[in-house]
Amino acid sequence: MLGRNGKVFSAIGEPKPQPNLTFTSEQANNLKSIARSHLKQLKEVDKLGKRKIGPVVSVAQDLESGTISKPYINNVEGTQPSNLHNILDRRFNIPDADLEEYAFSKGKGSHAEVYAVNDLLNQSPNATLDDFAVFTMETQKKGFVGEIKPPCKN
């Protein structure tokens, strides 16, 4: 995903070179539009409050196929996707002590970014994490709602 400084972030949140895959500003704007529409739906139609919506909305795109995940919010129960792809399962099948960034989270693998990437991994059997761009949008922080937020590194 494109961060504020123009770097491409992989699905795991670290700046990554993507030599064979391009991610255009048009694609970024499309993902941003999807995330904003989803947030609007959650607030205005579903009437969810901040606690239910959580801190972010994420949507991912497979840069190889162009497939876009549906938008996701963090799982409020702190659970991983029930159909967790084996690539992600291996990332989260480590002791909790090794995942310090989840200290203030409901649970490892419960983040919106994980759900969005998992969606695409399950649709694309030959994909790797580097094939995805993730758009994560702030939903809570005053003055930053709707802004790009780098995805969690997990």
Side-chain angles (χ1 to χ4, degrees), residues 4 7 12 26 39 49 68 70 91 97 121 126 130 136:
R4 289 181 198 219
K7 291 183 180 176
I12 57 172
E26 185 179 313
L39 180 59
I68 298 173
K70 72 178 202 174
R91 289 185 70 83
L121 281 169
N126 298 321
D130 290 334
T136 302

Side-chain angles (χ1 to χ4, degrees), residues 1-2 8-23 27 60-67 85 87-88 90-91 113 117-118 120-121 124-134 151-154:
M1 184 63 232
L2 293 179
V8 174
F9 286 85
S10 74
I12 57 172
E14 301 161 357
K16 281 273 202 196
Q18 307 240 341
N20 301 322
L21 303 174
T22 58
F23 187 67
Q27 288 170 301
Q61 183 169 10
D62 182 330
L63 298 176
E64 192 75 38
S65 69
T67 304
H85 190 276
I87 290 174
L88 295 177
R90 286 191 303 267
R91 289 185 70 83
E113 301 92 329
V117 169
N118 188 66
L120 292 178
L121 281 169
S124 306
N126 298 321
T128 68
L129 293 177
D130 290 334
D131 293 335
F132 305 126
V134 178
C152 72
K153 64 182 180 178
N154 294 301

Side-chain angles (χ1 to χ4, degrees), residues 51-136:
R51 286 188 181 184
K52 293 275 187 189
I53 293 172
V56 299
V57 171
S58 291
V59 61
Q61 183 169 10
D62 182 330
L63 298 176
E64 192 75 38
S65 69
T67 304
I68 298 173
S69 74
K70 72 178 202 174
Y72 289 91
I73 58 175
N74 289 8
N75 180 287
V76 295
E77 302 299 321
T79 58
Q80 299 173 353
S82 59
N83 60 345
L84 190 64
H85 190 276
N86 63 359
I87 290 174
L88 295 177
D89 186 48
R90 286 191 303 267
R91 289 185 70 83
F92 297 117
N93 191 19
I94 57 177
D96 288 340
D98 294 339
L99 294 172
E100 291 178 24
E101 57 277 356
Y102 277 97
F104 300 104
S105 176
K106 293 275 188 175
K108 61 184 178 180
S110 66
H111 288 185
E113 301 92 329
V114 172
Y115 273 79
V117 169
N118 188 66
D119 182 345
L120 292 178
L121 281 169
N122 284 323
Q123 293 181 51
S124 306
N126 298 321
T128 68
L129 293 177
D130 290 334
D131 293 335
F132 305 126
V134 178
F135 178 83
T136 302

Side-chain angles (χ1 to χ4, degrees), residues 31-40 57 59 71 135 137:
L31 295 183
K32 186 175 186 176
S33 175
I34 291 168
R36 283 188 170 175
S37 293
H38 187 64
L39 180 59
K40 185 176 181 178
V57 171
V59 61
F135 178 83
M137 182 184 80

